[in-house]
Amino acid sequence: MRILVTGGAGFIGSALVRRLIEHTDHEVLVFDKLTYAGVLSSLEPVAASNRYSFVQADICDADAVSKALHAFKPDVVAHLAAESHVDRSIDGPGEFIQTNMVGTFVMLNQTLGYWRDLPDADKAAFRFHHISTDEVFGSLGEDGFFSETTPYDPRSPYSASKAGSDHLVRAWGHTYGLPVLVTNCSNNYGPYHFPEKLIPLIIIRALNGEPLPVYGDGSNVRDWLFVDDHARALQAVFETGAPGETYNVGGNAEKQNIEVVTTICAILDRLRPKANGQYADQITYVTDRPGHDQRYAIDASKIRADLDWTPSVTFEQGIEQTVAWYLGNQSWWQDILDARYSTQRLGVAANG
Ligand code: NAD
Ligand code: TDX
């Protein structure tokens, strides 16, 4: 297969591309603007492959999208490019509307033009796979899970922009017959995760001897999935999923934020003991995120039953591997800290 991956220099996109080059015979074109979140060194392990190529361009640029589609001739478009950080969407929602909604519209419209000109057999086999989030479903109380039929109830500028993009994708499938797939996934973690997100931020600040910021009372719950398991799920969906379908993807690993932070501290105490005291001594409760969703949890029974996908690692295994990766790959994250983002607090604008 020939797979065009938008956002392939990001956290999940690069995990997908590394998987496709290292474990399949597929050919991959990464289409990425290289925003602050695009990190080319995350693709270094596959950069020398003759089945890998890269174009730096914006998904909002219709001509660039059309050119890439007609030159590369993909069988699959895996659309991951997005603004992805909830805190940044609170500070500056405009970029989220532009990239996540307008950009997805441009991708759909240009893909439709390309798809309509394909021979019938290629047209039938083609897939536009939109990668989305469980945050479109809103916030859960203590009980219940998000399923594929849960009504949408997004609450942050980020999740609203992703919900809008999901609706556009389904509309292009329903109205124009474009063979679309949508996946809604829970929180990912693992190697190459940008340091603005909870898990890498805590690991890096812990190592730097800085306060570990826990929003609110730390009781918010996320359902964590190791990023390589998400990449495996995406491959299963675009290779074997039924067009028009939505699949929820989750780790079945719910944790309160404070549990995640104390787990990381305990692993670091073992792997990189401090001279004095323990890493948990650095934990600091800080002002909550405005509109902070309380709990996300995914019911992944459909993808398990239909596509035989389940997570391959537990949270305990995945978080151990992740902490070890950050300890062994300081140059990857130090370059980001030096040039782009140095783990300062984001997303409190609404609170002043
Ligand atoms: P990320 O922020 O790490 O990477 C985003 C990538 O998209 C970057 O390489 C960036 O350069 C690129 N990009 C941004 N704007 C672009 C534009 N206008 N044109 C071309 N490229 C552009 O994001 P991520 O965490 O890897 O998330 C990837 C996708 O998965 C997103 O659509 C996100 O909504 C979704 N998702 C993420 C998670 C998660 O936990 N991280 C969970 C579920 C779904
Ligand atoms: O410093 C922090 N302290 C803290 O307590 C940060 C950065 C976060 N948090 C909390 C907020 C959340 O409850 O930790 C939780 C996780 O926060 P993030 O890493 O910002 O992720 P989240 O907001 O849950 O969204 C992530 O998962 C769903 C991704 O960023 C999204 O792209 C994805 O759609």
Side-chain angles (χ1 to χ4, degrees):
M1 280 180 166
R2 301 173 65 77
I3 301 157
L4 189 157
V5 181
T6 72
F11 167 49
I12 301 169
S14 69
L16 175 63
V17 173
R18 291 190 304 272
R19 173 172 183 81
L20 293 176
I21 296 297
E22 287 167 358
H23 297 287
T24 76
D25 292 329
H26 299 324
E27 294 191 31
V28 175
L29 171 65
V30 170
F31 184 104
D32 198 296
K33 183 179 176 181
L34 297 181
T35 66
Y36 81 91
V39 185
L40 268 182
S41 57
S42 306
L43 289 164
E44 233 160 55
V46 296
S49 168
N50 58 10
R51 290 183 290 113
Y52 163 83
S53 52
F54 179 87
V55 57
Q56 182 174 1
D58 189 337
I59 57 166
C60 299
D61 178 345
D63 289 342
V65 172
S66 172
K67 218 171 115 192
L69 287 165
H70 286 92
F72 183 66
K73 301 191 185 355
D75 307 299
V76 173
V77 170
H79 176 41
L80 294 98
E83 287 294 332
S84 71
H85 192 37
V86 173
D87 287 336
R88 287 185 197 261
S89 83
I90 296 167
D91 291 334
E95 206 60 38
F96 286 70
I97 304 304
Q98 190 61 26
T99 291
N100 299 359
M101 295 184 65
V102 177
T104 298
F105 156 72
V106 171
M107 286 304 303
L108 286 165
N109 231 15
Q110 295 309 315
T111 302
L112 181 63
Y114 161 77
W115 175 75
R116 280 182 166 154
D117 290 339
L118 289 176
D120 283 349
D122 295 351
K123 219 176 189 169
F126 182 84
R127 301 286 182 268
F128 183 97
H129 180 174
H130 177 62
I131 285 74
S132 192
T133 171
D134 60 358
E135 301 197 13
V136 299
F137 300 119
S139 180
L140 292 165
E142 282 186 13
D143 303 318
F145 297 90
F146 298 133
S147 78
E148 288 78 5
T149 55
T150 302
Y152 274 35
D153 182 22
R155 290 147 179 261
S156 73
Y158 164 70
S159 55
S161 69
K162 291 297 289 186
S165 66
D166 293 9
H167 291 321
L168 289 170
V169 172
R170 295 194 180 101
W172 259 245
H174 191 73
T175 305
Y176 304 110
L178 187 70
V180 298
L181 294 156
V182 177
T183 46
N184 294 93
C185 187
S186 65
N187 283 59
N188 284 215
Y189 70 101
Y192 302 100
H193 204 180
F194 198 84
E196 67 196 351
K197 306 289 176 16
L198 176 70
I199 287 178
L201 182 135
I202 294 297
I203 298 169
I204 291 167
R205 289 186 68 96
L207 291 172
N208 286 340
E210 293 166 338
L212 307 180
V214 174
Y215 297 174
D217 64 3
S219 70
N220 303 67
V221 172
R222 300 293 182 262
D223 174 2
W224 293 97
L225 178 65
F226 194 62
V227 67
D228 292 351
D229 278 332
H230 189 195
R232 265 199 315 115
L234 297 178
Q235 185 190 346
V237 168
F238 66 66
E239 286 181 353
T240 59
E245 291 294 323
T246 291
Y247 300 90
N248 278 3
V249 187
N252 198 19
E254 287 184 54
K255 302 283 170 210
Q256 291 192 340
N257 291 338
I258 188 64
E259 291 179 75
V260 171
V261 174
T262 52
T263 301
I264 292 168
C265 290
I267 296 171
L268 285 172
D269 283 335
R270 206 164 16 86
L271 299 183
R272 184 72 62 88
K274 296 214 283 186
N276 293 305
Q278 301 194 315
Y279 287 99
D281 301 339
Q282 293 167 226
I283 292 173
T284 314
Y285 290 90
V286 298
T287 312
D288 210 352
R289 169 185 283 175
H292 197 174
D293 287 339
Q294 181 57 35
R295 174 171 168 258
Y296 306 139
I298 282 277
D299 171 355
S301 50
K302 178 176 170 179
I303 189 169
R304 187 170 58 236
D306 290 5
L307 307 184
D308 199 25
W309 174 90
T310 49
S312 70
V313 293
T314 63
F315 181 76
E316 288 65 31
Q317 293 165 327
I319 194 71
E320 178 92 22
Q321 278 186 43
T322 303
V323 173
W325 187 88
Y326 279 86
L327 286 172
N329 291 274
Q330 180 162 355
S331 67
W332 180 87
W333 52 265
Q334 192 62 52
D335 284 353
I336 292 173
L337 260 48
D338 292 345
R340 304 181 188 210
Y341 167 70
S342 51
T343 74
Q344 71 274 21
R345 177 79 195 260
L346 301 168
V348 280
N351 284 348

